[in-house]
Amino acid sequence: MSEITSILKEKRVFKPGAAFSQEAHIKSFRDYERLYSQAIKNPEKFWATQAKEQLHWFKPWNKVLNWKPPFAKWFIGGKINVSYNCLDRHVASWRKNKAAIIWEGEPPFAPQKTGAAAGRPHEIRTLTYNQLHIEVCKFANALKGQGVRKGDRVIIYMPMVPELAIAMLACARMGAIHSVVFGGFSAQSLVDRITDAQATFVITADGGFRRGTSVNLKDAVDEALKSCPGVKSVIVYQRTKQIIHMQTGRDHWWHDLMAQASPDCKADPLDSEHPLYILYTSGSTGKPKGIQHSTGGYLLGATYTSKIVFDLKDDDVYWCTADIGWVTGHTYVVYGPLSNGATVVMYEGAPNYPQPDRFWDIIERHKVTILYTAPTAIRAFMKWGDEWPKKHDLKSLRLLGSVGEPINPEAWMWYQKNIGGGRCPIVDTWWQTETGGILISPLPGATPTKPGSATRPLPGIVVDIVDKNGDPSKEGGFLVLRKPWPHMMRTIWGDAERFKKQYWSQVKPNKKGVSDTYFTGDGARRDKDGYYWVMGRVDDVIKVSGHRLGTAEIESALVSHPKVAEAAVVGRPDELTGEAVVSFVTLKMGNGQGQISPSDALKDELKAHVTKAIGSIARPAEIRFTDALPKTRSGKIMRRLLRDIAHGRETVGDTTTLEDFSVLAKLRAAQGEEE
């Protein structure tokens, strides 16, 4: 039973609707298989065709791929510009006056109402492609006026406002390398990233709005720059109008620079391999990893995957709810959709401000057609209750997406029923910061879906599952990538050895310790239909009495219980079994029933529920009820911190991504009470 997971017992299959398939870019599973086969037979020809059809090149490439594991170069000799592809080519077409960004601020202008009667009580800005082009050109000139040049690293530390996208596109226009830092990170996080990137310029704001309060960003920048004397200039966008310190000679108001800037700025033809951005991710060591992405290859991946996974059409209103501070926001809020000429919704604030129907209110008012969000958010919506989405007309939606972590079947079904009305295909996507874009996903007009499975790899992507020796495994194991792809990370900024060791030395390395197979760090299984079921990080695997259990499968079983809203599972040492299962559980509320009360009887009920779903080997040794789980600001559960609590040890490593430190304190207090 330990190797046959409850998730793989999933029997429900949802075929694409005939009407959707008829209008889709890829219309049938046979078409998908044909395209996938073409890509396998001649990958360089496949990617070259995509690059020619989907992007504008100032100069064609001389060679498609130079692959010297683990380093890849794509479209060698080609000249391209990301900003040009996202703006200029649309401005030269009928899309000139099409909405590029529809932005909504968090604070309402008037007391919040629900439903169609709400009207337009919020702060809303719409930028057409022409208007966005002008703003980007002006800001690129403003950057040049501050001394920014091609190859310089620019830190962007801003709230979710259009100016964040404008700053990114302006950097891309002139070849400056941007590094976006999420607006909730601390001053020390800024220091780490500025220092590692050797950045000399910072773009920030006085603050932003989140859950009804203003968050001061400039104070964090001021504190960080005490340790970063190499920063020459700081540009400050005025959002909240709170009082901040402006250092003469170093700090400049965004609006002052823009008032003097010319709207004419040609896009610089850049080498395809010119670095576009560095995005830092945190590891257990506390030292951030600067994931470096290229220009041409990355943009192709962003454009290609946005088009075929979301089936983008010119009349779509597309909303990816991710913050741009994370890779999902880079690829699927800014670069991918805008390169396709889509209309993108951006929202500044929290999903439950001023009440839990804010997302559904936005969808109703802006007639959103595509929604791409995280399983964590979906489970939160479930916890808040079905009555909130029922208050709104969500019939404009035609496609739903999931991103960030494996989605449990229970949440998948709730999403499909309560948000999609049973009619919207769901694209459950798997990818990473390092991969640059989606690699495994259903194609909505072609792929039958199974709740909880990311299904099959996209055409052009070669994945496999191997055991600890690197040999193909039918029973499940490590998810790996066998062939290079254009939007893959190029290196870790300034640390090629770490890049080799972490990603390319885990599977059958050569004598120099380097493999030609990319190690994702995720565990997965493949069913009889060739569908992939990603089980989570390989360090999220518990070995009980010699049997390997994925934490995702136990969490899925717990969340399938009608009283459970969310669950996180970790292992702790056990003298008898080697490891024991510890489950942290939050309970549901809403639907007029009030909060469900924790009890010993409910603990026993949940243990029995897991036993029935998976087997006695997966029965939790402990269940701990909690009001909330420790999460990053992007919504991922920080299981590493829960492992520390379960082990009774002090927290080590980086905690800068933790959204609410009080959650950790409460869990530790509860640990002390139990002991």
Side-chain angles (χ1 to χ4, degrees):
M1 176 65 87
S2 62
E3 294 299 329
I4 304 174
T5 72
S6 61
I7 290 178
L8 280 178
K9 293 179 181 178
E10 179 61 57
K11 300 298 183 183
R12 290 167 292 191
V13 178
F14 295 85
K15 295 182 179 180
F20 192 104
S21 296
Q22 188 175 1
E23 300 296 327
H25 292 299
I26 298 177
K27 303 180 186 303
S28 69
F29 197 66
R30 182 177 296 178
D31 288 345
Y32 157 77
E33 289 184 311
R34 185 183 302 115
L35 193 61
Y36 191 86
S37 178
Q38 291 173 1
I40 289 289
K41 289 178 181 177
N42 195 335
E44 291 188 27
K45 180 180 179 181
F46 172 81
W47 287 116
T49 299
Q50 299 301 320
K52 289 176 183 176
E53 291 179 352
Q54 303 205 35
L55 300 178
H56 171 274
W57 296 82
F58 292 110
K59 178 187 174 184
W61 52 87
N62 303 316
K63 186 179 181 182
V64 176
L65 171 64
N66 184 4
W67 175 227
K68 295 180 179 180
F71 300 105
K73 293 182 179 180
W74 284 88
F75 310 114
I76 300 158
K79 300 291 184 182
I80 191 171
N81 187 280
V82 170
S83 184
Y84 186 97
N85 274 274
C86 290
L87 298 173
D88 300 61
R89 61 174 176 162
H90 303 313
V91 170
S93 75
W94 66 267
R95 294 191 182 100
K96 178 177 182 178
N97 295 316
K98 178 183 177 180
I101 294 175
I102 300 172
W103 174 83
E104 181 163 313
E106 183 186 79
F109 283 150
Q112 175 70 12
K113 299 176 182 178
T114 60
R120 292 169 61 90
H122 299 282
E123 181 182 7
I124 296 170
R125 291 167 56 194
T126 299
L127 291 170
T128 65
Y129 273 93
N130 188 50
Q131 291 169 330
L132 184 59
H133 179 257
I134 291 171
E135 293 297 298
V136 168
C137 288
K138 289 174 67 176
F139 193 66
N141 285 328
L143 289 175
K144 291 178 181 179
Q146 291 299 303
V148 179
R149 297 293 180 263
K150 176 182 174 182
D152 286 344
R153 273 77 69 202
V154 179
I155 297 291
I156 305 176
Y157 182 65
M158 300 184 76
M160 276 288 285
V161 291
E163 283 67 24
L164 172 49
I166 289 167
M168 294 166 68
L169 290 162
C171 287
R173 196 167 191 82
M174 57 188 295
I177 304 167
H178 66 68
S179 183
V180 179
V181 180
F182 174 66
F185 275 0
S186 65
Q188 185 56 51
S189 296
L190 276 172
V191 171
D192 294 341
R193 288 151 176 78
I194 292 170
T195 302
D196 189 77
Q198 295 180 303
T200 48
F201 301 90
V202 175
I203 304 168
T204 189
D206 51 359
F209 293 103
R210 186 75 177 179
R211 291 191 172 90
T213 62
S214 61
V215 179
N216 191 313
L217 299 180
K218 182 58 164 56
D219 281 358
V221 172
D222 291 340
E223 181 64 27
L225 295 194
K226 293 177 182 178
S227 303
C228 302
V231 173
K232 303 173 184 177
S233 177
V234 179
I235 299 176
V236 185
Y237 175 70
Q238 190 175 49
R239 168 62 183 142
T240 60
K241 298 184 179 179
Q242 60 201 94
I243 297 174
I244 60 171
H245 170 71
M246 295 288 286
Q247 182 172 308
T248 303
R250 185 196 70 184
D251 299 347
H252 309 272
W253 285 111
W254 176 295
H255 54 267
D256 288 342
L257 296 178
M258 292 290 276
Q260 303 169 14
S262 167
D264 298 317
C265 179
K266 288 186 177 181
D268 188 3
L270 300 170
D271 187 88
S272 178
E273 282 298 312
H274 182 77
L276 174 63
Y277 68 82
I278 305 165
L279 185 58
Y280 285 89
T281 64
S282 297
S284 59
T285 64
K287 182 182 178 182
K289 297 177 295 183
I291 306 302
Q292 178 186 320
H293 280 291
S294 70
T295 294
Y298 169 79
L299 182 63
L300 174 59
T303 307
Y304 163 75
T305 56
S306 293
K307 182 176 181 178
I308 67 168
V309 173
F310 302 115
D311 193 49
L312 283 175
K313 303 286 199 305
D314 273 317
D315 57 353
D316 276 319
V317 178
Y318 164 91
W319 185 19
C320 170
T321 66
D323 192 287
I324 295 176
W326 312 106
V327 71
T328 303
H330 281 57
T331 306
Y332 297 115
V333 175
V334 181
Y335 292 125
L338 293 181
S339 181
N340 277 285
T343 294
V344 177
V345 171
M346 284 179 63
Y347 169 55
E348 178 183 33
N352 59 344
Y353 183 83
Q355 52 191 12
D357 65 339
R358 185 62 182 272
F359 271 25
W360 321 130
D361 184 42
I362 289 172
I363 290 170
E364 181 179 27
R365 285 187 287 106
H366 296 297
K367 304 301 179 188
V368 173
T369 60
I370 300 170
L371 176 66
Y372 191 37
T373 195
T376 296
I378 296 167
R379 290 192 292 268
F381 301 144
M382 293 172 65
K383 180 178 180 179
W384 296 336
D386 300 354
E387 66 267 26
W388 294 106
K390 287 180 179 178
K391 292 175 182 286
H392 297 275
D393 182 358
L394 306 180
K395 290 187 177 64
S396 62
L397 288 168
R398 71 178 190 89
L399 178 66
L400 303 176
S402 170
V403 60
E405 60 180 309
I407 183 172
N408 55 292
E410 186 77 11
W412 195 102
M413 292 300 301
W414 185 92
Y415 195 30
Q416 193 244 19
K417 175 185 176 183
N418 292 277
I419 308 306
R423 70 186 183 282
C424 296
I426 295 179
V427 288
D428 175 8
T429 63
W430 177 87
W431 61 295
Q432 303 173 321
T433 302
E434 293 87 344
T435 72
I438 297 165
L439 298 190
I440 305 177
S441 172
L443 298 180
T447 312
T449 54
K450 301 179 184 182
S453 172
T455 69
R456 295 250 195 134
L458 298 182
I461 305 302
V462 181
V463 302
D464 201 358
I465 296 175
V466 301
D467 61 21
K468 63 181 180 180
N469 298 316
D471 297 320
S473 172
K474 295 181 179 180
E475 300 299 324
F478 305 130
L479 185 66
V480 298
L481 296 156
R482 293 293 196 184
K483 299 291 183 182
W485 63 101
H487 40 300
M488 62 195 291
M489 68 183 291
R490 295 305 190 254
T491 188
I492 293 175
W493 179 263
D495 200 342
E497 287 305 313
R498 188 180 182 186
F499 171 64
K500 292 178 185 178
K501 182 178 180 181
Q502 181 161 351
Y503 300 105
W504 299 92
S505 301
Q506 307 295 324
V507 179
K508 288 188 177 178
N510 58 25
K511 292 180 180 180
K512 295 182 180 180
V514 177
S515 169
D516 64 354
T517 300
Y518 173 88
F519 178 70
T520 69
D522 279 340
R525 294 186 173 118
R526 185 172 43 220
D527 67 19
K528 61 182 178 60
D529 296 318
Y531 280 32
Y532 286 82
W533 301 76
V534 179
M535 311 305 294
R537 302 297 294 173
V538 293
D539 55 3
D540 289 334
V541 171
I542 304 172
K543 202 167 187 178
V544 180
S545 300
H547 300 281
R548 297 179 71 252
L549 297 169
T551 57
E553 61 188 309
I554 304 173
E555 291 167 359
S556 180
L558 285 164
V559 174
S560 70
H561 190 281
K563 295 180 181 178
V564 175
E566 195 164 29
V569 170
V570 298
R572 64 159 172 77
D574 185 273
E575 291 183 357
L576 181 62
T577 61
E579 280 191 289
V581 176
V582 180
S583 304
F584 295 82
V585 171
T586 62
L587 299 174
K588 286 183 178 178
M589 62 172 59
N591 297 320
Q593 298 175 358
Q595 177 71 49
I596 298 169
S597 299
S599 66
D600 289 340
L602 182 54
K603 287 183 180 181
D604 292 339
E605 185 180 334
L606 294 178
K607 290 177 181 180
H609 184 74
V610 172
T611 300
K612 183 178 180 181
I614 302 174
S616 59
I617 192 68
R619 181 183 175 90
E622 295 180 54
I623 289 182
R624 303 186 186 184
F625 295 114
T626 177
D627 291 334
L629 296 169
K631 297 177 183 177
T632 67
R633 294 176 180 88
S634 64
K636 290 187 178 180
I637 298 168
M638 298 186 74
R639 291 171 178 81
R640 173 174 59 83
L641 302 183
L642 293 176
R643 277 194 293 273
D644 290 340
I645 292 171
H647 285 230
R649 64 195 179 201
E650 290 297 316
T651 299
V652 296
D654 184 14
T655 59
T656 58
T657 56
L658 186 61
E659 181 184 32
D660 186 352
F661 283 87
S662 68
V663 172
L664 192 60
K666 290 176 182 177
L667 284 167
R668 289 210 173 279
Q671 167 84 357
E673 291 173 3
E674 289 187 8
E675 294 175 347

